[in-house]
Amino acid sequence: MPPTRPTETDARLVVDRVSKRFGGVAAVDQLSVSVSPGELMAVVGPNGAGKSTLFQLINGVIRPDSGTIRLNGHMLTGRAPEAIAALGVGRTFQTSRVFPALSVWDSVRVGQTVSLIGGSPARRRFDPVTEIAVALLRPGGLKRRERALDEQAEATLKLFGDRLWPRRHDRADSLSYANRRRLEIARALVDRPSLLLLDEPTAGMNPTETNELADLIGRLHAEHGEMSVILVEHKLDVVRNLASHVLVMDRGGRLAEGSPDDVLADPHVVEAYLGRRADGSAGVEPVS
């Protein structure tokens, strides 16, 4: 049995018996999981386990075939991705995705679009015609909002030390691979989400870059105490160091759940990652 988790009234995120099939393949199969406010939970599992599909379901890129997803009591199921972003969900992607022709500064400001045009958890404040009129007339309220968002963007870039702020006027495609990954996190973080989804943020990084980014994620999580983080990560030493709770997925379902030390030593988890020896015993433990 999985360990006791927060109830729906206590949880930040509740995924309730969610399923998604692509043809005959169950990418996510009757999965239920909850995340507490301020919790950093890692989702791990072999390739094809359904981890990225779970992220796609949470932020509305795809819709579940059955089940529901709630954030802070709001139903996410059936909402468009931009409406879910307005409810407080930020995310990065498994592969690096930046706007190559935009500056670092403008790339981060893209993450504030919902706040700039008056989005809210309840509804969009402006329709498209009103947005154009406001942009042309530039009332005082808009100018004050822009100044506040400028300050917020600056503070977010400076969280990354000298990696991004000194390069704020450079094109995004001029950054190194590691700095592009940092830029993606800054763009997801700048609008102060209540739930941050990080999909393999250290993928493609060398050990030094991995350790630096893992330290940054840990610091960001500590400094934003109410923000919940779900981290998909294959580097299990990163999982062990960052996560307080781990969900192991396999074939779209939950294989194991609990503390990092307990879950990553589970023989069923080891088998899912590494298979079995000829004598039928599990292979070596997947963490050093």
Side-chain angles (χ1 to χ4, degrees):
M1 293 290 292
T4 302
R5 299 294 292 146
T7 64
E8 183 169 345
T9 55
D10 298 329
R12 168 66 41 80
L13 176 76
V14 177
V15 176
D16 185 20
R17 293 169 292 180
V18 165
S19 294
K20 181 63 182 180
R21 301 186 68 88
F22 297 100
V25 177
V28 173
D29 188 13
Q30 288 289 302
L31 182 68
S32 294
V33 64
S34 58
V35 181
S36 300
E39 181 177 17
L40 195 159
M41 185 180 79
V43 181
V44 304
N47 290 330
K51 305 180 298 295
S52 292
T53 300
L54 174 62
F55 272 18
Q56 301 282 68
L57 289 165
I58 292 172
N59 85 314
V61 174
I62 56 178
R63 296 188 178 187
D65 298 325
S66 61
T68 60
I69 303 173
R70 292 180 178 272
L71 178 76
N72 297 322
H74 297 284
M75 180 67 71
L76 301 189
T77 310
R79 294 181 186 261
E82 63 270 21
I84 292 175
L87 285 167
V89 177
R91 74 163 293 185
T92 66
F93 293 84
Q94 191 172 6
T95 56
S96 179
R97 297 188 185 184
V98 298
F99 297 97
L102 292 184
S103 68
V104 169
W105 176 258
D106 288 338
S107 296
V108 171
R109 289 299 307 273
V110 166
Q112 298 174 313
T113 300
V114 170
S115 290
L116 184 62
I117 65 175
S120 72
R123 58 181 175 84
R124 286 171 59 93
R125 180 177 174 184
F126 298 150
D127 58 61
V129 175
T130 307
E131 288 174 23
I132 294 172
V134 168
L136 291 174
L137 298 175
R138 301 188 59 77
L142 178 63
K143 294 177 183 178
R144 288 192 296 273
R145 190 181 303 118
E146 286 181 333
R147 284 195 297 270
L149 293 178
D150 281 345
E151 293 173 359
Q152 195 167 302
E154 178 178 346
T156 300
L157 286 172
K158 287 182 174 179
L159 290 172
F160 295 80
D162 63 356
R163 298 296 189 177
L164 296 179
W165 177 249
R167 297 174 173 84
R168 62 191 180 279
H169 300 305
D170 297 346
R171 283 173 52 123
D173 61 2
S174 71
L175 298 179
S176 67
Y177 175 80
N179 279 339
R180 292 187 193 190
R181 301 296 286 189
R182 294 182 181 99
L183 177 58
E184 289 180 276
I185 296 174
R187 186 180 64 208
L189 187 66
V190 70
D191 214 24
R192 303 295 188 261
S194 61
L195 175 66
L196 180 63
L197 308 176
L198 300 177
D199 197 349
E200 297 190 39
T202 70
M205 292 187 177
N206 62 40
T208 299
E209 293 168 337
T210 294
N211 290 336
E212 182 179 328
L213 187 58
D215 288 344
L216 174 66
I217 292 170
R219 179 163 55 84
L220 293 176
H221 179 243
E223 292 176 357
H224 297 76
E226 282 299 305
M227 180 178 68
S228 301
V229 180
I230 305 180
L231 171 74
V232 168
E233 183 56 69
H234 279 293
K235 297 175 183 178
L236 299 185
D237 54 341
V238 173
V239 171
R240 188 186 290 277
N241 290 333
L242 287 179
S244 58
H245 193 82
V246 178
L247 167 69
V248 184
M249 293 184 66
D250 189 28
R251 301 177 185 178
R254 179 175 55 206
L255 178 63
E257 187 177 357
S259 70
D261 288 342
D262 290 343
V263 165
L264 298 180
D266 188 319
H268 295 97
V269 175
V270 177
E271 180 184 350
Y273 268 94
L274 300 178
R276 302 186 72 83
R277 298 191 183 102
D279 63 3
S281 61
V284 296
E285 186 179 344
V287 288
S288 58

